Amino acid sequence: MATYFAGVHLFDGRTVRSRAGVLVAGGRIEWVGSHRRAPRAARAAHEVEGSGRTLTPGLIDCHVHLCFDGIADFQGEGRQVQGDDALAALKALRNGRRHLEHGTTTVRDLGGPSAYACSVARAIDDGLAEGPSVVAAGRALTITGGHGHGAFAYEVDGPEHLRRAVREQMRSGARAIKLIATGGVLTPGVSADFTAFTVEELEAAIDEAHKWNRGVAAHAIGATGIENAVRAGIDSIEHGSQISVAVARMMKERGTFHVPTISALRGILDNADEVADDAVQKARQVLGWLRDSFRRGVREGVRFACGTDSGTPFNPHGSAPLEIERMVDWGLTPLKALQSATSNAAELLRVPEIGTVEEGKDGDVVLYEGEPLDEVSLLATPLLVLKRGDVAAGRLP
């Protein structure tokens, strides 16, 4: 069924228009313009009154772990799904549903116990299962004993072995690659700012992934690991808690995105009595670094992309609206925060068919009551979510 949004306040992924008309038909955006100039085809469509409402592109969450539910024991949950791809897939589909219900129509899965997420992505694309579109990285790549080992990462050392590991993810169907460039918060015995891969290892992996036209994300908390990844040509810095002024300027110059994942740290610290002490202590320190790093990036003009790291402790799936709100609280304008979850995110994930409301793009759109650019908290309660033109959540008014 074709759907026409009449006289709606439109955030098209880049800018805002008033009294717009948007026609979605055949799974794609067929027409966008002034409501007063609506085409004849709009008359035959189901009309949705847009007065007092805002239409946006479907949100994109650039950092999730779909087979993790956000329980306190992240490592334990990793062991639970290890070797059980059926369980991982079922959990992923349930958690994907939560993303759709909160307006997120595309996610990037950045690591699980196997390449199961690549199969989930194919099943959704082929219509065998319902869920957001998934840009899956297969398994994250880490050094022997590094962050994520035993939970969601594959241990590999040396430039040539990194190249092979990237190729193995490609064979499994990966559409992105994740490298763990530093230590992390949730892995016991590894400091958060520990520098992992060498520059030569990072360069080899990134070069190989880019040959396959795949974007590469670096889990990077410490300053040296961040700088190494940026110099090696990484596409996005995930977390990025110790970005210096010099590296922020380098990121702006090179077009490197920052995906801050504020929600991951807040989930741990807001539930400190239920999470392992080691993780709480590291999270407390890292959050302070991240706040300063984020504000540095805002001042220097670094481009941001929205990612929640959902699936980590007390960080539920479907939290992209909350992550956007948290970025605004830390100093990003509402317009740039929404761009981070739409046009910026689509560019980072190399999915040009989404991220903006333009003719010919996929019909992934979300309708909200009111104007989220004036009141960002409204993003938490979408009225209607369309994915490729079909109702994915809510109902047609």
Side-chain angles (χ1 to χ4, degrees), residues 272-341:
D273 57 335
E274 298 187 54
V275 181
D277 288 342
D278 176 65
V280 172
Q281 291 173 14
K282 286 193 281 187
R284 189 170 289 118
Q285 184 178 42
V286 169
L287 182 65
W289 295 339
L290 178 58
R291 186 184 296 108
D292 292 341
S293 180
F294 182 91
R295 290 172 177 168
R296 212 171 283 133
V298 172
R299 289 195 301 270
E300 298 300 330
V302 172
R303 298 178 72 191
F304 291 91
C306 176
T308 61
D309 207 1
S310 57
T312 54
F314 301 97
N315 183 13
H317 291 274
S319 296
L322 182 56
E323 182 73 14
I324 294 168
E325 189 173 353
R326 285 170 168 160
M327 286 193 281
V328 171
D329 288 343
W330 277 12
L332 201 60
T333 66
L335 181 66
K336 288 186 176 180
L338 263 177
Q339 288 170 344
S340 81

Side-chain angles (χ1 to χ4, degrees), residues 11-12 51 178 226 286 354:
F11 168 69
D12 65 9
S51 179
K178 181 182 180 182
I226 293 169
V286 169
I354 61 171

Side-chain angles (χ1 to χ4, degrees), residues 17 45 60 69 73 92 94 100 116 162 170 212 218 228 234 266 270 273 275 286 310 315 317 337 354 390 394:
R17 311 187 208 180
I60 302 169
D69 290 335
D73 185 6
R94 181 182 62 185
L100 285 176
Y116 85 94
L162 261 294
M170 295 300 101
W212 293 79
N228 287 349
I234 206 74
R266 288 290 302 272
D270 291 349
D273 57 335
V275 181
V286 169
S310 57
N315 183 13
H317 291 274
I354 61 171
D390 293 330

Side-chain angles (χ1 to χ4, degrees), residues 2-7 20-24 31 34-35 38-39 42 45-48:
T3 305
Y4 178 66
F5 297 92
V22 177
L23 177 62
V24 181
W31 182 84
S34 169
H35 172 49
H46 177 92
E47 182 171 309
V48 176

Side-chain angles (χ1 to χ4, degrees), residues 221 223 226 237 239-245 247-248 251 258 293 296:
I221 291 175
I226 293 169
I237 294 293
H239 316 305
S241 302
Q242 291 185 350
I243 298 174
S244 67
V245 171
V247 171
M251 290 173 68
H258 183 194
S293 180
R296 212 171 283 133

Side-chain angles (χ1 to χ4, degrees), residues 49-361:
E49 175 57 50
S51 179
R53 294 168 172 166
T54 298
L55 190 72
T56 75
L59 302 182
I60 302 169
D61 190 332
C62 296
H63 192 138
V64 308
H65 298 280
L66 284 172
C67 72
F68 289 85
D69 290 335
I71 65 174
D73 185 6
F74 184 80
Q75 296 289 332
E77 188 170 19
R79 291 190 293 271
Q80 180 191 41
V81 294
Q82 194 83 40
D84 194 340
D85 284 0
L87 177 61
L90 289 170
K91 286 158 70 85
L93 291 171
R94 181 182 62 185
N95 289 328
R97 182 69 208 166
R98 292 167 178 162
H99 284 283
L100 285 176
E101 289 168 353
H102 290 87
T104 299
T105 53
T106 299
V107 300
R108 180 174 62 170
D109 187 282
L110 285 181
S114 71
Y116 85 94
C118 300
S119 297
V120 169
R122 285 192 294 269
I124 292 171
D125 285 345
D126 292 344
L128 298 175
E130 294 184 356
S133 298
V134 179
V135 177
R139 299 193 73 183
L141 306 180
T142 192
I143 63 169
T144 298
H147 174 62
H149 77 274
F152 61 88
Y154 174 64
E155 295 171 275
V156 57
D157 303 294
E160 289 310 307
H161 291 293
L162 261 294
R163 283 190 184 276
R164 180 179 176 85
V166 168
R167 292 167 184 163
E168 289 172 350
Q169 305 315 304
M170 295 300 101
R171 182 179 61 195
S172 297
R175 293 175 59 199
I177 292 294
K178 181 182 180 182
L179 305 174
I180 297 180
T182 71
V185 170
L186 292 172
T187 302
V190 182
S191 66
D193 57 351
F194 168 78
T195 302
F197 288 123
T198 66
V199 174
E200 293 75 19
E201 288 172 322
L202 292 169
E203 287 175 340
I206 293 167
D207 177 67
E208 187 64 35
H210 284 172
K211 286 180 180 177
W212 293 79
N213 193 31
R214 298 300 194 265
V216 190
H219 163 107
I221 291 175
T224 302
I226 293 169
E227 183 171 354
N228 287 349
V230 173
R231 289 189 181 279
I234 206 74
D235 296 292
S236 67
I237 294 293
E238 312 293 309
H239 316 305
S241 302
Q242 291 185 350
I243 298 174
S244 67
V245 171
V247 171
R249 290 171 179 168
M250 193 189 311
M251 290 173 68
K252 179 184 178 182
E253 179 182 331
R254 297 180 176 218
T256 311
F257 287 92
H258 183 194
V259 183
T261 66
I262 302 166
S263 297
L265 298 171
R266 288 290 302 272
I268 293 169
L269 293 175
D270 291 349
N271 299 274
D273 57 335
E274 298 187 54
V275 181
D277 288 342
D278 176 65
V280 172
Q281 291 173 14
K282 286 193 281 187
R284 189 170 289 118
Q285 184 178 42
V286 169
L287 182 65
W289 295 339
L290 178 58
R291 186 184 296 108
D292 292 341
S293 180
F294 182 91
R295 290 172 177 168
R296 212 171 283 133
V298 172
R299 289 195 301 270
E300 298 300 330
V302 172
R303 298 178 72 191
F304 291 91
C306 176
T308 61
D309 207 1
S310 57
T312 54
F314 301 97
N315 183 13
H317 291 274
S319 296
L322 182 56
E323 182 73 14
I324 294 168
E325 189 173 353
R326 285 170 168 160
M327 286 193 281
V328 171
D329 288 343
W330 277 12
L332 201 60
T333 66
L335 181 66
K336 288 186 176 180
L338 263 177
Q339 288 170 344
S340 81
T342 52
S343 56
N344 282 9
E347 181 180 339
L348 171 60
L349 270 54
R350 304 187 180 204
V351 281
E353 65 273 16
I354 61 171
T356 56
V357 180
E358 296 179 89
E359 292 173 14
K361 296 288 185 84

